[in-house]
Amino acid sequence: MTKSTVGGVAERAKRGDVEHWLHCYEQMAKIRSFEEKVNDLYMKAFMPGLAHLYTGQEAIAVGVCEALRQEDYVTSTHRGHGHCLAKGAAVDRMFAELLGKEAGYCRGKGGSMHIADPASGNLGANAIVGGSAGIATGAAFSAKMRGSGQVAACFFGEGALGQGLLYEVMNMAALWKLPVLYVCENNMYNEYTHFSETLAGGVIARAQAMGIRVESIDGQDVQLVNATTQALVEAARRGDGPAFVECKTYRYYGHHVGDINREYYRSKEEEQEWKSKRDPLKILAEKLIAQKLTDPSVLSQIQATVDAEVEAGVEFAINTPYPDLSEVTEDVYA
Ligand SMILES: Cc1ncc(C[n+]2csc(CCOP(=O)(O)OP(=O)(O)O)c2C)c(N)n1
């Protein structure tokens, strides 16, 4: 192999990497732009009900979903918009669901906390804290029985560590070597309570006790989240069994869109510190620029593209019809 060929391969690999990280940046920017619009829709009383914003945590959804294949599964939480978008949901149908329209993922009847999209492997957001752990583990069990090679990633907040279901299914997953990745997004607050008041012992110690492979990482660094979970997903796909990753993160907004005055449970200084020093978009942008892999104009162009997609999505959702009144009891099981 000549030197120039080696250089060519290295150059192509570098270009491939740049495309991958710019795609991750775009996905994170899309989630952020989407969420800002959701907040706006709520403030203007366009949206029925509440939403729990994911802003600040984007590197986790994107880092994990970029380690998965389309046919792999995810299960999500009440704070699920980021997971849905990162796994491939379309912005316009997401907005349609939030506004209760027929074109939404659940024909407008599920809203923010129940978005599911089987076509992209998304088995659903879930309003029950910890509730999706059983679904993800069941999907992994099914994948193993069918020999399909699929992996399931189960997203949950550290508040779910108080739920018994999680331990029952992690125990089964460890015993049966199921291809499931438990992704604990530790944003430090369960609603309005710091997790140190609700959690005895350590986060990863729980999975370690069952012999599950664990990692505890900075959830603001999409490159780290992606590299870590890529290795764990590949191991699960090979038959090595489950893994548990704690991703340390922070939500910029309140527990939900109506949680405006937060100073009784966390300080403005703390919020500012995370926004200015630990922002996932800024961290990736600064790294790529410092390594001369991109420049600010490329990132601005990406931002403009996702903002336009979000604007068009909202426009679509506002103008598309509600389900017909005759369908009011269809697909509703509760
Ligand atoms: C089983 C159950 N108990 C209580 C609630 C009310 N609740 C909704 S969100 C939440 C806190 C969840 O905290 P965490 O799991 O850390 O997720 P985060 O909101 O921080 O993303 C609680 C207690 C619920 N939805 N389900």
Side-chain angles (χ1 to χ4, degrees):
M1 199 179 277
T2 64
K3 204 172 172 206
S4 68
T5 318
V6 173
V9 171
E11 196 47 49
R12 274 202 301 282
K14 196 167 133 188
R15 258 205 323 271
D17 268 5
V18 177
E19 276 163 26
H20 174 64
W21 296 127
L22 288 178
H23 175 69
C24 288
Y25 186 86
E26 179 171 348
Q27 290 291 82
M28 293 198 294
K30 190 198 288 187
I31 296 169
R32 178 140 324 166
S33 182
F34 180 91
E35 296 272 81
E36 274 160 15
K37 193 49 94 175
V38 172
N39 199 37
D40 193 44
L41 289 170
Y42 171 78
M43 293 297 193
K44 291 181 178 151
F46 261 98
M47 190 181 74
L50 290 169
H52 304 78
L53 301 182
Y54 191 67
T55 310
Q57 304 186 200
E58 296 91 344
I60 304 170
V62 173
V64 172
C65 289
E66 288 300 319
L68 298 173
R69 298 177 183 161
Q70 182 173 353
E71 66 269 24
D72 289 334
Y73 299 114
V74 295
T75 63
S76 175
T77 67
H78 54 286
R79 200 176 300 289
H81 305 155
H83 309 133
C84 298
L85 290 167
K87 194 65 174 60
V91 164
D92 51 2
R93 290 192 65 200
M94 291 271 296
F95 276 126
E97 186 58 41
L98 294 184
L99 297 191
K101 302 297 185 78
E102 169 79 28
Y105 277 102
C106 303
R107 300 176 69 195
K109 296 174 188 172
S112 168
M113 282 190 276
H114 301 98
I115 293 175
D117 176 27
S120 66
N122 174 4
L123 300 179
N126 203 309
I128 308 298
V129 169
S132 78
I135 298 169
T137 310
F141 180 57
S142 154
K144 178 148 187 165
M145 295 293 282
R146 288 179 288 117
S148 69
Q150 291 160 293
V151 172
C154 174
F155 293 101
F156 54 90
E158 80 290 348
L161 297 171
Q163 289 291 87
L165 168 68
L166 183 66
Y167 301 103
E168 294 179 46
V169 296
M170 286 203 306
N171 186 56
M172 285 182 213
L175 282 173
W176 300 339
K177 287 193 178 299
L178 302 183
V180 55
L181 183 63
Y182 298 101
V183 182
C184 177
E185 301 191 49
N186 186 356
N187 65 14
M188 301 198 293
Y189 294 91
N190 316 162
E191 292 189 329
Y192 321 106
T193 308
H194 192 269
F195 80 107
S196 58
E197 293 179 49
T198 61
L199 191 81
V203 172
I204 54 173
R206 293 158 150 73
Q208 267 168 330
M210 297 180 201
I212 292 176
R213 183 171 164 190
V214 298
E215 299 282 351
S216 179
I217 58 172
D218 177 6
Q220 304 307 90
D221 179 346
V222 71
Q223 294 183 312
L224 179 63
V225 175
N226 186 241
T228 305
T229 54
Q230 185 86 51
L232 299 175
V233 164
E234 275 164 22
R237 217 185 287 290
R238 275 199 311 268
D240 291 358
F244 181 107
V245 198
E246 176 192 18
C247 298
K248 294 182 179 160
T249 188
Y250 200 75
R251 60 165 158 79
Y252 288 0
Y253 286 91
H255 171 59
H256 55 65
V257 279
D259 173 21
I260 308 287
N261 299 317
R262 303 184 279 275
E263 280 185 274
Y264 70 96
Y265 72 91
R266 67 184 205 186
S267 68
K268 283 202 165 118
E269 291 72 31
E270 181 182 287
E271 292 189 359
Q272 203 39 46
E273 175 92 2
W274 279 83
K275 288 180 193 171
S276 59
K277 300 203 178 121
R278 308 282 307 277
D279 182 71
L281 284 127
K282 278 191 206 154
I283 289 174
L284 181 60
E286 280 167 13
K287 280 211 247 177
L288 296 179
I289 291 167
Q291 291 164 20
K292 300 204 186 325
L293 295 177
T294 193
D295 61 69
S297 70
V298 173
L299 302 180
S300 304
Q301 183 53 48
I302 290 176
Q303 189 65 54
T305 307
V306 298
D307 287 347
E309 186 182 350
V310 164
E311 273 308 321
V314 174
E315 238 356 77
F316 166 81
I318 289 173
N319 294 315
T320 197
Y322 286 103
D324 193 81
L325 206 54
S326 65
E327 295 170 25
V328 78
T329 55
E330 274 177 29
D331 311 313
V332 177
Y333 300 96

